[in-house]
Amino acid sequence: MDVSSLAAAAPSLVAPPLNHKPHLAFPLHHPSPARGSIAVRCAHSHAPPPPPHPLRRAAAAADDEEDSLPPSLRVSRLAEEFRAAPDAADRARRLLARAAALPRLGEADRVAANRVMGCVAQVWLVGRCDGAGRMRFAADSDSELSRGYCACLVSALDGARPEEVLDVDPADLAPLGGVAAGTGARSRASTWHNVLIGMQKRARAAIAAREGRPAGEPFPSLVIGRDGAIRAQGTYAEAQAMFLSPNESKISELVKSLREKKIGIVAHFYMDPEVQGILTASKRHWPHIHISDSLVMADSAVKMAEAGCEYITVLGVDFMSENVRAILDQAGYNKVGVYRMSSDQIGCSLADAASSSAYTHFLKEASRSPPSLHVIYINTSLETKAHAHELVPTITCTSSNVVATILQAFAQIPGLNVWYGPDSYMGANIADLFQRMAVMSDEEVAEIHPTHNKKSINALLPCLHYYQDGNCIVHDMFGHEVVDKIKEQYCDAFLTAHFEVPGEMFSLSMEAKTRGMGVVGSTQNILDFIKNRLKEALDRNIDDHLQFVLGTESGMITSIVDAVRELFDSYKSSQQSANIEVEIVFPVSSDAVSNTSVNGSYHLNSSTVTDLDNVSVIPGVSSGEGCSIHGGCASCPYMKMNSLRSLLKVCHQLPDRENRLAAYQASRFNAKTPLGKLVAEVGCEPILHMRHFQATKRLPDKLVHQVIHGNGEPTS
């Protein structure tokens, strides 16, 4: 019997006797009992109670004794009760019985402010600390099974001290999950976990109030309404929102130039917000504009060349324009011009780390440990990829495919050593993920990679090595201070994290992911996660406020807003539309304030800005998007070198017959590697290996041969 059948059969499945009765210890609003429900009197209600159910009279004495137990023992008994249940049907019967005994919340409490996010059903949670310093909880749901989960937690934690609520480890209550198979049932079974997180958030607030600590300033955020309107909260968010409604004359000017000169644009998600706003609006009038993560920028450029574009402008850091140039040459479009957006170098802290002598030492160590495969993050220069590939057979990866790449490599090549770099946080997070997999069941491991099991994961752990001295200067920000504030104020929100974030943020988001409340991956993975959660809310068509913590560069906001608005538009109909909002939170660090010199150039080692009380927003590289002194920088200074002014300058001066844009042209490597091959040729090979893997889900035979026999060509 499935869960929906069990819910429909609720009256006949109530299992006597109940071990414990849920109760409320503070007055709430009490409407008339819903049709078909069993009325239960709140402890503070003055109305006479209905006659008790005969099955419950028998359990009353045991219930009173249970109420006097410490919360930790109540949690243990609750877990033991569900652990002892023989099957999913029996667990469901117990949940439905508890749901029948849970008092209904009044309409005044069944509001969006009390909604528990991440549940398939609507779930509401109310909590406060009473005069005796104990937490008082009440909860409700429009799903009987979800009400059962709520009842379990209220029974276990109502009356507990705040510290006792925080001491509950979700693992202690794991037996409550797994009521039935299937995606929907698993999501419903995560209700208890999401409700527990909500209870713990309220307990933290109670402790702060008791200690006299004021509520912390919220992170800045943007709220997108059903009508597409934007509400900015905080100076940082106001600066981001400024360019979401771009100047129409600038759009017309850009589109006219692109059409006349057949110019395509590939841009990264992390662009300056002014540029993002203009590009997002312009691509409705000119199809050859593509905004994405670094993975598909070069592929998009090839498609534009195939469609007749004679020039490609690249809005990103230099390794991106190098990749575009090299891939176009590989595809036979060497006459298509490729232009960067600055006459100065547009660097990247990760690319710099991979070109260091320390990284060369890391690779030389790998070359002495055959068979070895070097998995290099795509955010590195073509020259680095070429030199690395001659030392150790190399394949590129992105944050969205790195785990699959490494697991397939271990599955395909016996006794392999994998060397990942240069992002140290991503390397540590991959190792952390594999450690988690090592304690999963074989079935759970197989869901991640079909040829692996618990034993094979344990075997590969000592063979995974990662570089420990490279990081993205933006994602480095998502560390201890930011994580503490997220735990305090946003633990019940949807958490998104790029694979490049420090371990604290990674672990927090991975925990959220287990209950359907988080995602860890690439920028595209984050965007898809937000869109999917919004689609679910739109399909439900119930008033909702979806709050997402953006654990990556703030430049993504333009693409997020555009995607959210498109979804809202696509769901417009004659029927009544629910009031649904999407809030994007920028978790910016209070000590990550950027500086500008007199001439406006950015210096990573600049001294801290002084006299901040007189400044509301510290300007960024060329625009005003900057960093709020109330938060900090979730903004890459290198990416912000791609200004609208530079883009228009390049477009207006094409075709460059007088060679005035020489400094803006993407590098074409004519240099040779230590083994005498062209850098462009060898540097492209790891990228092509990745493309083969993405298409076939296997490492190419040529790469496998290189790993086992060295970098010579395979014999026929």
Side-chain angles (χ1 to χ4, degrees), residues 17-55:
L18 295 177
N19 288 346
H20 182 83
K21 67 174 185 299
H23 64 281
L24 298 180
F26 63 99
L28 297 166
H29 302 274
H30 298 286
S32 301
R35 183 181 303 172
S37 66
I38 299 176
V40 179
R41 182 175 66 96
C42 172
H44 290 266
S45 172
H46 297 294
H53 193 288
L55 296 175

Side-chain angles (χ1 to χ4, degrees), residues 439-453:
V439 295
M440 292 179 181
S441 68
D442 286 346
E443 292 75 15
E444 289 170 325
V445 172
E447 285 185 13
I448 299 172
H449 195 283
T451 64
H452 279 286
N453 54 36

Side-chain angles (χ1 to χ4, degrees), residues 274-444:
E274 181 182 20
V275 177
Q276 289 263 21
I278 296 288
L279 293 183
T280 300
S282 297
K283 67 182 182 180
R284 298 187 177 95
H285 308 286
W286 177 244
H288 305 303
I289 297 174
H290 186 82
I291 305 171
S292 68
D293 56 21
S294 55
L295 172 62
V296 293
M297 288 174 69
D299 293 340
S300 299
V302 171
K303 291 177 182 177
M304 291 174 190
E306 290 171 347
C309 287
E310 296 178 4
Y311 307 98
I312 304 294
T313 52
V314 181
L315 280 72
V317 296
D318 282 346
F319 73 77
M320 296 175 183
S321 59
E322 291 171 6
N323 286 347
V324 168
R325 175 71 277 165
I327 295 299
L328 281 171
D329 289 346
Q330 285 275 336
Y333 293 102
N334 56 319
K335 291 184 179 180
V336 172
V338 178
Y339 290 87
R340 325 161 36 244
M341 290 300 107
S342 175
S343 57
D344 296 325
Q345 180 183 358
I346 308 177
C348 169
S349 58
L350 280 178
D352 292 345
S355 62
S356 67
S357 58
Y359 200 76
T360 301
H361 177 77
F362 172 72
L363 293 176
K364 286 181 177 177
E365 184 181 353
S367 69
R368 293 190 289 267
S369 305
S372 282
L373 173 68
H374 175 217
V375 179
I376 188 169
Y377 197 26
I378 197 168
N379 292 10
T380 48
S381 73
L382 203 64
E383 193 170 18
T384 295
K385 294 180 179 76
H387 290 169
H389 192 38
E390 288 203 335
L391 279 171
V392 187
T394 298
I395 184 171
T396 57
C397 71
T398 69
S399 47
S400 60
N401 65 23
V402 59
V403 171
T405 300
I406 292 175
L407 288 176
Q408 179 59 30
F410 277 121
Q412 210 168 326
I413 305 174
L416 181 67
N417 284 292
V418 168
W419 303 76
Y420 168 80
D423 192 304
S424 303
Y425 289 138
M426 191 184 293
N429 294 338
I430 294 165
D432 183 311
L433 176 62
F434 291 168
Q435 291 280 0
R436 294 168 188 257
M437 291 175 65
V439 295
M440 292 179 181
S441 68
D442 286 346
E443 292 75 15
E444 289 170 325

Side-chain angles (χ1 to χ4, degrees), residues 254-265:
L254 178 62
V255 170
K256 182 175 183 291
S257 186
L258 297 177
R259 278 180 176 158
E260 288 179 354
K261 300 175 182 181
K262 298 181 181 178
I263 302 171
I265 297 177

